[in-house]
Amino acid sequence: MKAITIHQPWATLIALGEKKFETRGWATKYRGQLAIHAAKKVDKEICQQEPFRSVLAKHGYSADNLPTGCVVAIAQITGCYRIYNTIDNGVHIVRCPNYQYDFDKVEFIRKPESDFGYYDDGRFAWEMSDVKQIDPVPAKGQQGLWNWNYGTCINCKEDKELLPLDDVQGICEDCAQVMSDLAP
């Protein structure tokens, strides 16, 4: 499954359904399931500012208890929009040419959503839908879109992040380490 690493508190805001768009400096053609990985970095300063502080508190979170270094949600990328300009309290965004069918579709992003992203002219907003928060699953993040290999380890039978063994099966890092320690 494709995954993206996002700093905290933004990853948790997506997991909670409070942030519908992830803003990036680059567009994506990818559509489909996406694992939301919370980076190890927490922007503690932004967590103290409104509306971050009150939205996180509403769900029982603060800068001190945000999950890090783990996948926190599964979402669907359903669109990629080019950001044009800010108008009043909203932001015009237009679907990226050649990335989807409705080239002239316009969305208006209003507060608090507009506070949860970097909506500068020329950037891109990735639309997230069907977001499902999951119990945090430890994983190593990466830059850009990356493949998250998660499943049941063929050795210990636990659900974990797997090292690729072949196209169908995998083994977790812990079991791989034990096996390499036992090798002659």
Side-chain angles (χ1 to χ4, degrees), residues 90-105:
V91 177
H92 267 169
I93 57 176
V94 178
R95 194 174 297 269
C96 302
N98 302 323
Y99 288 94
Q100 206 48 295
Y101 307 108
D102 304 318
F103 298 114
D104 59 351
K105 181 179 177 183

Side-chain angles (χ1 to χ4, degrees), residues 154-169:
I154 61 171
N155 186 54
C156 68
K157 308 296 186 220
E158 292 183 27
D159 288 336
K160 293 183 175 182
E161 186 172 12
L162 305 176
L163 300 173
L165 183 60
D166 59 36
D167 292 338
V168 180
Q169 300 174 323

Side-chain angles (χ1 to χ4, degrees), residues 35-106:
I36 306 300
H37 177 265
K40 290 191 176 188
K41 179 179 178 180
V42 176
D43 187 331
K44 292 187 178 211
E45 187 176 313
I46 201 84
C47 289
Q48 301 306 316
Q49 297 174 16
E50 289 299 336
F52 293 87
R53 185 170 45 98
S54 59
V55 171
L56 290 170
K58 176 173 77 170
H59 296 281
Y61 288 102
S62 70
D64 298 324
N65 68 351
L66 290 169
T68 59
C70 56
V71 173
V72 295
I74 306 296
Q76 295 285 325
I77 293 184
T78 53
C80 179
Y81 300 84
R82 182 169 184 118
I83 300 166
Y84 281 92
N85 59 345
T86 303
I87 299 175
D88 296 329
N89 288 330
V91 177
H92 267 169
I93 57 176
V94 178
R95 194 174 297 269
C96 302
N98 302 323
Y99 288 94
Q100 206 48 295
Y101 307 108
D102 304 318
F103 298 114
D104 59 351
K105 181 179 177 183
V106 176

